[in-house]
Amino acid sequence: MMPKPSPLPPETILERIRFTAEEFQRRRPDFKVKPFASFARFMATAKNARPEPFPGRFVLDITSTVSVDQPTAVQRVELELARAFAALAHEQNFGLSFVAYRDGHFVPYIMEDDQVMVKPFGFTVQEGDFQFRPGDAFLIVEMLSGDTEGFLNAVVDARKAGAVINLMIYDLVPLTHPHWVAEEFSLRAYSAFTAMLRISHRLIAVSQKVAEDVACYLDITTMRDAETVWPLPVAHFRLGCDALLRHRKPGTAVSFPAGPDVLLAAGTFKTRKGLLPLLEAMDRLWAEGNQTRLVLVGRDYLTNRTRTQMKTHPELGKRLFLAGYSADAELAEALTQVSAMVIPAFDDGFGLPLVEAAALGCPVVARDVPIYRETSGGDAFFFPDAGPAEMAEKLREFLALPRKKQLKFVPRASLATWRQSAQIMQAILLSSAMAFTVDVGVNASLRLLVPPVAKKPA
């Protein structure tokens, strides 16, 4: 069983999370980690290599996918990896199992249809609990279940049965930028990440940038003074780009504006997605008489006020359109028609909208932050990581380009298909490839920094 939670009150833990996040922001720009040379060579060939089949079973957790109605972000990654591994398992004849957490246990699922895009997305639950065996390669895509404690205990049981626990990390935003998420979410992320460090055999990040975020955060929350310390392997891979491309049906009707005078941004309405600064930048262009329309595709996130603030905008329904959640076929068709996909987020784990737009031949205009440099291979049209005025200036510059020159900013060179993404993951698990290791202490408890106590006036 997992140990009891920290005796510290939640308010104190939150205060320490915030203080540690500030130190992370201060240190991260200059933080360096020296990767193993062998991993660079591995990544140069893994995307197009054909790995040997798993000698045992590959087990993929699909808890997050089967619990939602509309897959976005992590659920899309989970779903696409499931479909890609199903194809590889069929070709290579290795054991593949899907499981999801339910009532204290992992239960088995089978995939009956790899194209269904409505819940439960082609998966059917089976009777009984899933029985893990020694040597099972168990990949956990999302560690924050609705019942986090029960989920973690079920992972512990899988490890006791002999499964090798591989944790995929999409980002550390709840810990490194706690002001962007609800307090309860930061607390759950802290508890889950602390526990998973102790349970996992390997961490696999969705990008090199996230892998280095992990290394930096764990360097700050050091465990080097623990009685026992061991190296925990960290690897990273690339996500696929071809989900929208695969579901595209030319001629699909688009329910929102889509044409050469449209900029489109896609993603859940969250503060860190930078949609309000993007709207401020567009306000500057519209004040000059620019007729470019802005379409925002995505659903609301909890009580986030982004959409609420936009609903009273004077350009709503004229040059500003809030499209809501869009089906893959519709979004794919729109991306073949618009001027560009705009990515204004302040930070990200990978940036699926960027690569999915590029796969459809759509130019990408992105904030100049490290993750989008990595994901695009540096081939997007970048605007400074600054305010709306600087963003407006670069948008103005992009929109003034002839279409032939705009199309030079379609970042195709760095793209990987979901099949290639699964092949990289398979190769990592089979070869135990690692980019570097991080120190984990005997209790794997993050030693968050303690804010200084304010001195009382004399």
Side-chain angles (χ1 to χ4, degrees), residues 124-186:
T124 302
V125 66
Q126 303 298 287
E127 293 296 325
D129 298 337
F130 184 79
Q131 302 301 313
F132 285 92
R133 300 196 297 251
D136 284 346
F138 186 24
L139 179 62
I140 299 169
V141 179
E142 172 60 82
M143 61 183 171
L144 289 174
S145 168
D147 174 16
T148 302
E149 184 177 356
F151 179 86
L152 293 171
N153 282 323
V155 177
V156 170
D157 290 341
R159 175 167 175 145
K160 287 179 179 177
V164 178
I165 309 301
N166 301 276
L167 173 65
M168 205 179 94
I169 300 182
Y170 203 85
D171 61 53
L172 290 184
V173 164
L175 300 180
T176 60
H177 298 80
H179 57 289
W180 286 341
V181 300
E183 292 180 349
E184 187 270 341
F185 195 68
S186 281

Side-chain angles (χ1 to χ4, degrees), residues 10 17 24 55 66 72 141 158 169 216-218 239 252 274 300 319 324:
I17 288 173
F24 175 87
V66 296
T72 61
V141 179
I169 300 182
C216 182
Y217 198 81
L218 293 183
L239 301 184
T252 296
D300 294 323
R319 287 182 286 192

Side-chain angles (χ1 to χ4, degrees), residues 85-238:
F85 270 111
L88 291 176
H90 177 74
E91 295 171 13
Q92 301 174 14
N93 194 31
F94 62 77
L96 172 65
S97 297
F98 301 111
V99 299
Y101 173 76
R102 187 175 67 184
D103 299 329
H105 305 278
F106 286 105
V107 296
Y109 278 74
I110 60 171
M111 180 185 288
E112 295 186 323
D113 192 322
D114 64 357
Q115 292 299 312
V116 175
M117 287 304 293
V118 294
K119 189 177 182 178
F121 307 105
F123 294 104
T124 302
V125 66
Q126 303 298 287
E127 293 296 325
D129 298 337
F130 184 79
Q131 302 301 313
F132 285 92
R133 300 196 297 251
D136 284 346
F138 186 24
L139 179 62
I140 299 169
V141 179
E142 172 60 82
M143 61 183 171
L144 289 174
S145 168
D147 174 16
T148 302
E149 184 177 356
F151 179 86
L152 293 171
N153 282 323
V155 177
V156 170
D157 290 341
R159 175 167 175 145
K160 287 179 179 177
V164 178
I165 309 301
N166 301 276
L167 173 65
M168 205 179 94
I169 300 182
Y170 203 85
D171 61 53
L172 290 184
V173 164
L175 300 180
T176 60
H177 298 80
H179 57 289
W180 286 341
V181 300
E183 292 180 349
E184 187 270 341
F185 195 68
S186 281
L187 287 170
R188 286 179 55 213
Y190 167 75
S191 298
F193 188 49
T194 299
M196 286 303 300
L197 287 176
R198 180 166 65 256
I199 303 170
S200 300
H201 294 93
R202 181 184 297 107
L203 307 179
I204 305 174
V206 298
S207 63
Q208 180 179 334
K209 181 260 184 189
V210 170
E212 293 173 355
D213 283 352
V214 171
C216 182
Y217 198 81
L218 293 183
D219 189 66
I220 293 171
T221 56
T222 179
M223 293 166 241
R224 284 189 286 268
D225 57 343
E227 290 182 16
T228 304
V229 174
W230 66 90
L232 181 64
V234 180
H236 57 82
F237 75 127
R238 287 195 65 84

Side-chain angles (χ1 to χ4, degrees), residues 385-397:
D385 184 19
E390 292 81 0
M391 191 189 307
E393 181 179 346
K394 295 301 289 186
L395 287 174
R396 189 184 299 111
E397 180 182 329

Side-chain angles (χ1 to χ4, degrees), residues 20 36 101 119 123 155 169 188 264 282 292 368 388 405:
T20 304
F36 299 127
Y101 173 76
K119 189 177 182 178
F123 294 104
V155 177
I169 300 182
R188 286 179 55 213
L264 186 150
M282 292 303 297
T292 299
D368 196 354
K405 289 189 176 180

